[in-house]
């Protein structure tokens, strides 16, 4: 007879954990909102006094058990308020300093590796001895730890989302380096460690293969080569990015290897612990000291100290205390995704890991009355390890989902399977990479170890690519972080309050019900999407979704990753075609992000367009003047340019006339891309386009997109411009808006109202939008 799996005891949540949650929420809100530091310094002690009075009142009631938690939360919030006041004051002082004097008068020290973006190479930099940091933008990458002076300009954080996000990370603004005037490598012990890291990376030649780029990422914390090879997108799609990020798992393996090396030495327990901590600390520094690794090392330190003073280590308390100290010492870490994911993941595993393992044991247990098969010890150990890995993956993905989904707009559905399959291979790769770093001074040994890394990496990458190619391996999702976190908190509170015993039948029924709901949702939106034209809010760029039943197409992809959550808002998992009207970044820049999440059938470009440099390997169709593209009952006819323009320049933008007539409902539209009055006016004069229901205004609503005569000839009932909030171009231009409103059109802009949906109607277009605008 098989024994019923035993439900674990309900976990006790320490006061430090509640204090950590309170500090994380308060710090993120305060740093983003940026109140006056003096106000925080006044309010924080007042809050502490109120909490103290409440604690005294509770101590005289039956709720006295809540007093320690309430006191911890109150004290932590008071400290968080003071810490945030200090951080905001430091940022404002740095802004004043950099505004009052030239950038060239200050030294900047790069705090980590730079990453390449649309504006150049970006990294965090400390300015002199200031207590705050800036983003440093440069045309060439600069090594971590380097100190430099430069000629450039400083831009403080703006009032938009990017400015608030930067402020929450402890960033006061951006320094754009025009010319580097001096550059010196890091000095001292940290400089020595970073120079060893740089030397190993030079020997590694990280960009030459997948295996070497993974070694650079897992051993050195250097992920630039992975990004250049597109591996970061593959790993994100499979939900295994955390295996590369240097954290607790890496330190466990380093500790094991060092302990093995120290086994034969006659060391006392204290000396052995010190050696292990120094070794793992050196490894953290070697990786560039990412916050997730610093948090893991600090937890190791706390555990060792607890052991040496004779106290039993409590992982949840240790994780909470370490996270709390980091947040209070440097509030800006609460806005850094690496820190948040690390802390949330570890605390989630400590609290929920045993219960999820119990649920898996119940689900996978033999049927009642059946005898469990006797397996060889090796297979039994492998199965137990796989269940443990699956439990940890499920917990990690669940508790971090609000953060990752809100940030990246995607959810990996193959993550549990991917982690079970490749985690052992990652461990082997990391062990080989660590040995390669230690023996880098011996070229023959290095060559052998790197060859072994290639052998281990081959099946690892094959498995990940196979999983990523599965239908719906990674889906686009649209999540509001605050709402998602609130729902997660409610779900966790219910689970902890009920802590139910489960049965295999109930679990199987619940899983089948969830699968049925997910399948019904997918069929609804994949096969029965409404006929509509949706101008998506993707910032300063264009992306227009056309759907009708099972057919769908996207005209332009916007400037970057914003297109993924935008498609998620419209429940899109498949596109028959992506049409690029031209190759400007604000119309084609999101193609790479899109292809990593949404299944795309074909790429459509203007006649003569060079597509060799575009991401993906899609079949390409060229659209010339007069050609028609069908999307369900919609037809999209190319009306400009007349001659092949190769997708270059605004004048070469592909203008499309859209028409729909089905079941008594009709819709006509002109999608003008970046075309201006010369191109659109010529199409009107040729008779290619006339009175339309919808105008997707050309060139984001710039003044040169229309004339009063063109607006009067088109007479759109609704006009939509796609522009980003706070854009530096002044789009949409008031002159363009006035022309269209004078022609009797309702004018909308995505920066004000979000996505705009226009559906065919029996007596005119049916228009709706995502949110109410400022007016």
């Amino acid at each position: 007879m098989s024994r019923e799996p035993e439900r674990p005891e309900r976990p006790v949540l320490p006061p430090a954990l509640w204090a950590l949650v309170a500090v994380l929420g308060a710090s993120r809100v305060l740093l983003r909102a940026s109140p006056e530091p003096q106000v925080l310094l006044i309010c924080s002690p007042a809050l502490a006094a109120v909490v103290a009075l409440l604690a005294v009142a509770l101590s005289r009631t039956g709720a006295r058990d809540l007093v320690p938690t309430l006191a911890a939360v109150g004290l932590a919030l008071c400290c968080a308020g003071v810490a945030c006041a200090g951080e905001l004051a430091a940022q404002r002082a740095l802004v004043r300093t950099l505004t009052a004097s030239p950038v060239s008068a200050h030294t900047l020290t790069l705090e980590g590796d730079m990453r390449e973006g649309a504006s150049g190479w970006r990294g965090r930099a400390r300015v002199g001895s200031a207590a705050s940091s800036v983003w440093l933008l440069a045309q060439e990458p600069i090594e971590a730890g380097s100190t430099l002076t430069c000629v450039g300009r400083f831009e403080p954080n703006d009032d938009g989302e990017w400015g608030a996000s930067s402020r929450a990370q402890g960033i006061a603004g951006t320094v754009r380096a025009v010319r580097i005037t001096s550059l010196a490598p890091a000095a001292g012990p940290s400089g020595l460690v970073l120079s060893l890291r740089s030397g190993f990376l030079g020997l590694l030649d990280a960009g030459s293969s997948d295996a070497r780029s993974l070694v650079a990422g897992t051993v050195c914390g250097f992920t630039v080569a992975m990004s250049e090879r597109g591996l970061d997108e593959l790993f994100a799609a499979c939900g295994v990015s955390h295996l590369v990020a240097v954290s607790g798992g890496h330190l466990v393996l380093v500790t094991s290897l060092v302990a093995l090396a120290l086994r034969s030495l006659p060391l006392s327990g204290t000396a052995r612990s010190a050696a292990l901590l120094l070794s793992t600390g050196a490894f953290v520094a070697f990786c560039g000291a990412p916050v997730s690794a610093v948090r893991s090392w600090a937890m190791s330190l706390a555990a060792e100290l607890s052991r040496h003073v004779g106290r039993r280590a409590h992982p949840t308390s240790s994780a909470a205390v370490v996270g709390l100290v980091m947040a209070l010492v440097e509030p800006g870490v609460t806005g850094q995704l690496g820190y948040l994911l690390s802390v949330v993941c570890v605390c989630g595993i400590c609290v929920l890991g045993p219960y999820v393992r119990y649920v898996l044991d119940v689900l996978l247990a033999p049927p009642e009355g059946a005898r469990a098969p006797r397996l060889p010890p090796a297979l039994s150990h492998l199965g137990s390890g796989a269940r443990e890995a699956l439990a940890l993956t499920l917990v990690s993905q669940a508790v971090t989902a609000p953060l990752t989904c809100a940030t990246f707009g995607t959810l990996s559905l193959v993550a549990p399977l991917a982690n079970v399959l490749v985690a052992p291979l990652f461990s082997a790769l990391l062990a080989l990479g660590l040995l390669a770093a230690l023996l880098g001074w011996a070229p023959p040994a290095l060559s052998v170890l790197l060859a072994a890394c290639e052998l281990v990496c081959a099946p690892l990458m094959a498995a990940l690519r196979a999983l990523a190619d599965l239908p719906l391996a990674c889906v686009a999702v649209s999540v509001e972080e605050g709402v998602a976190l609130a729902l997660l908190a409610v779900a966790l509170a219910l689970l902890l309050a009920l802590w139910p015993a489960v049965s295999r039948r109930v679990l199987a029924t619940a899983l089948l019900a969830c699968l049925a709901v997910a399948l019904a949702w997918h069929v609804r939106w994949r096969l029965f999407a409404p006929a509509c034209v949706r101008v998506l809010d993707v910032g300063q760029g264009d992306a227009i979704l056309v759907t009708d039943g099972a057919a769908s197409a996207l005209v332009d992809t916007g400037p970057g990753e914003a297109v993924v959550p935008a498609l998620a808002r419209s429940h899109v998992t498949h596109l028959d075609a992506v049409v690029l009207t031209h190759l400007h970044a604000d119309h084609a820049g999101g193609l790479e992000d899109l292809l990593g999440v949404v299944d795309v059938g074909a790429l459509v470009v203007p006649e003569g367009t060079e597509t060799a440099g575009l991401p993906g390997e899609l079949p390409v169709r060229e659209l010339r003047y007069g050609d028609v593209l069908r999307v369900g009952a919609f037809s999209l006819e190319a009306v400009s340019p007349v001659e092949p323009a190769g997708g270059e320049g605004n004048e070469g933008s592909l203008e499309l006339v859209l028409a729909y007539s089905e079941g008594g409902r009709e819709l006509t539209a002109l999608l003008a891309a970046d075309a201006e009055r010369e191109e659109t006016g010529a199409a009107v004069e040729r008779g290619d386009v006339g009175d339309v229901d919808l105008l997707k205004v050309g060139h984001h609503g710039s003044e040169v997109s229309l004339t009063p005569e063109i607006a009067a000839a088109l007479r759109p009932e609704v006009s939509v411009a796609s522009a980003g909030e706070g854009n530096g171009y002044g789009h949409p231009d008031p002159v363009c808006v006035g022309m269209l409103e004078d022609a009797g059109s309702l004018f909308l802009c995505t920066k004000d109202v979000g996505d705009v949906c226009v559906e065919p109607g029996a007596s005119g277009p049916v228009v709706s939008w995502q949110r109410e605008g400022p007016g």
Side-chain angles (χ1 to χ4, degrees):
M1 297 288 290
S2 61
R3 202 175 83 175
E4 185 77 15
E6 185 177 349
R7 178 180 50 165
E9 293 184 2
R10 191 195 318 268
V12 176
L13 303 185
L17 181 59
W18 295 108
L20 174 63
V21 172
V23 167
L24 291 181
S27 299
R28 299 193 73 195
V29 169
L30 291 175
L31 292 180
R32 292 178 69 91
S34 187
E36 289 294 330
Q38 296 85 347
V39 174
L40 287 179
L41 290 176
I42 293 172
C43 293
S44 297
L47 174 63
V50 171
V51 172
L53 291 174
L54 183 58
V56 170
L58 286 177
S59 66
R60 300 173 181 174
T61 69
R64 63 176 61 90
D65 291 342
L66 295 177
V67 171
T69 298
L70 182 63
V73 170
L75 179 61
L77 284 176
C78 177
C79 294
V82 173
C84 288
E87 173 62 38
L88 291 171
Q91 290 187 26
R92 296 181 185 194
L94 183 56
V95 168
R96 288 193 298 269
T97 299
L98 291 176
T99 303
S101 58
V103 169
S104 57
H106 305 277
T107 59
L108 292 89
T109 302
L110 203 63
E111 296 179 334
D113 293 318
M114 303 187 84
R115 298 295 298 269
E116 189 175 16
S119 303
W121 290 83
R122 179 187 299 274
R124 289 176 64 105
R126 186 75 65 175
V127 181
S129 58
S132 190
S133 303
V134 295
W135 292 121
L136 175 63
L137 275 180
Q139 294 306 308
E140 298 292 336
I142 301 170
E143 286 190 359
S146 299
T147 300
L148 62 105
T149 58
C150 67
V151 175
R153 61 183 184 274
F154 171 70
E155 300 170 1
N157 291 326
D158 57 30
D159 295 329
E161 175 60 29
W162 173 256
S165 174
S166 296
R167 191 164 51 247
Q169 298 177 60
I171 301 290
T174 301
V175 169
R176 297 177 182 270
V178 177
R179 179 167 55 88
I180 306 294
T181 54
S182 71
L183 182 64
S190 64
L192 175 62
V193 173
L194 289 175
S195 67
L196 291 174
R197 175 182 188 249
S198 178
F200 177 63
L201 286 172
L203 293 172
L204 190 59
D205 187 17
S208 62
S209 73
D210 290 346
R212 293 178 181 232
S213 66
L214 282 178
V215 170
T218 55
V219 175
C220 304
F222 181 81
T223 58
V224 173
M226 287 182 58
S227 179
E228 291 174 346
R229 297 184 66 86
L231 299 189
D232 50 352
E233 296 175 3
L234 173 64
F235 281 53
C238 293
V240 294
S241 299
H242 64 284
L243 294 177
V244 179
V246 181
S247 59
H250 294 64
L251 296 192
V252 169
L253 185 55
V254 172
T255 300
S256 300
L257 292 175
V258 174
L260 185 64
L262 296 176
R263 180 178 296 176
S264 59
L265 298 179
L267 297 175
S268 65
T270 301
R272 194 175 299 274
S273 295
L276 290 173
L277 287 170
L278 286 173
S279 300
T280 51
F283 173 68
V284 170
F286 187 77
C287 295
V291 291
S292 58
V294 172
R295 190 272 313 155
S296 299
W297 185 83
M299 276 193 65
S300 301
L301 176 62
E304 285 298 315
L305 291 176
S306 297
R307 189 169 65 84
H308 281 288
V309 298
R311 298 196 61 178
R312 184 172 61 89
H314 189 266
T316 308
S317 296
S318 298
V321 169
V322 168
L324 190 59
V325 170
M326 292 179 69
L328 294 177
V329 170
E330 189 175 350
V333 298
T334 62
Q336 298 177 31
L337 187 62
Y339 164 84
L340 290 171
L341 294 179
S342 177
V343 169
V344 170
C345 187
V346 170
C347 291
I349 288 173
C350 291
V351 174
L352 299 176
Y355 185 81
V356 175
R357 173 61 193 265
Y358 154 71
V359 170
L360 288 177
D361 287 342
V362 171
L363 186 62
L364 301 176
E368 187 174 353
R371 184 182 298 274
R374 299 188 65 178
L375 299 174
L379 287 180
S380 179
H381 180 72
L382 184 62
S384 178
R387 290 190 189 185
E388 188 68 27
L390 181 57
L392 297 183
T393 300
L394 291 173
V395 173
S396 301
Q397 193 171 23
V399 298
T400 60
L403 297 170
T404 56
C405 292
T407 302
F408 303 113
T410 60
L411 176 65
S412 174
L413 299 183
V414 298
L417 178 59
N419 278 272
V420 170
L421 289 177
V422 306
L425 293 173
F426 256 107
S427 297
L429 184 70
L430 175 58
L432 291 169
L434 288 169
L435 292 174
L438 290 172
L439 300 177
W441 50 270
L446 179 63
S447 298
V448 171
L449 289 167
L450 291 180
C453 288
E454 297 283 355
L455 291 175
V456 172
C457 185
L460 186 153
M461 295 303 299
L464 291 180
R465 290 193 169 103
L467 290 170
D469 287 339
L470 292 175
L472 301 178
C474 183
V475 296
V477 292
S478 179
V479 170
E480 290 290 338
E481 183 181 295
V483 175
L485 286 172
L487 291 175
L488 176 63
V490 171
L492 292 179
L494 288 173
L495 175 61
L496 291 170
L498 299 175
W499 207 246
V502 294
S503 68
R504 184 175 183 177
R505 178 176 298 177
V506 170
L507 286 174
T509 302
L511 285 175
L512 289 175
C514 291
L515 288 173
V517 170
L519 180 61
W521 179 92
H522 177 66
V523 169
R524 159 69 178 89
W525 291 106
R526 176 65 182 87
L527 301 179
F528 302 101
C532 75
V533 178
R534 195 180 301 268
V535 183
L536 302 175
D537 179 16
V538 291
Q540 187 64 20
D542 272 16
I544 301 99
L545 176 67
V546 182
T547 60
D548 182 26
S552 59
L554 184 70
V555 180
D556 288 329
T557 66
E561 59 189 17
V563 70
V564 173
L567 289 173
R569 291 193 296 268
S570 298
H571 317 295
V572 173
T573 58
H574 170 84
L575 292 166
D576 296 316
V578 170
V579 182
L580 299 181
T581 60
H582 60 305
L583 298 186
H584 283 177
D586 57 338
H587 291 252
L591 181 60
E592 185 172 4
D593 292 282
L594 171 68
L595 294 178
V597 180
V598 178
D599 179 41
V600 178
L603 184 65
V604 180
V605 296
E607 183 181 10
T609 299
E610 177 57 56
T611 61
L614 294 176
E617 299 179 355
L618 298 173
V620 178
R621 172 186 172 184
E622 292 190 353
L623 211 62
R624 60 176 62 88
Y625 175 71
D627 284 352
V628 176
L629 179 69
R630 300 282 179 183
V631 182
F634 285 101
S635 65
L636 290 85
E637 180 181 358
V639 297
S640 181
V642 176
E643 299 295 333
E648 299 292 338
N650 293 339
E651 68 280 359
S653 293
L654 190 64
E655 288 193 86
L656 299 168
V657 169
L658 175 145
Y660 178 96
S661 180
E662 188 83 10
R665 298 185 301 147
E666 296 184 347
L667 180 69
T668 57
L670 173 63
L671 309 182
D674 266 356
E676 298 176 352
R677 54 195 174 204
E678 290 80 5
E679 293 76 37
T680 303
V684 170
E685 289 180 5
R686 290 192 301 269
D688 291 331
V689 58
D691 188 352
V692 295
D693 299 314
L694 164 66
L695 171 65
K696 204 299 297 175
V697 186
H699 202 187
H700 315 289
S702 67
E703 181 182 358
V704 296
S705 62
L706 289 170
T707 64
E709 292 75 20
I710 296 174
L714 295 175
R715 289 198 306 164
E717 292 193 38
V718 59
S719 302
V720 183
S722 183
E725 182 179 358
N727 70 84
Y729 307 100
H731 294 159
D733 193 282
V735 174
C736 174
V737 177
M739 291 179 197
L740 290 164
E741 290 180 341
D742 290 343
S745 180
L746 168 66
F747 184 89
L748 300 169
C749 184
T750 55
K751 73 182 181 68
D752 298 323
V753 300
D755 301 341
V756 179
C757 178
V758 183
E759 301 178 72
S763 56
V766 179
V767 185
S768 59
W769 47 89
Q770 184 182 357
R771 60 178 183 268
E772 290 300 321

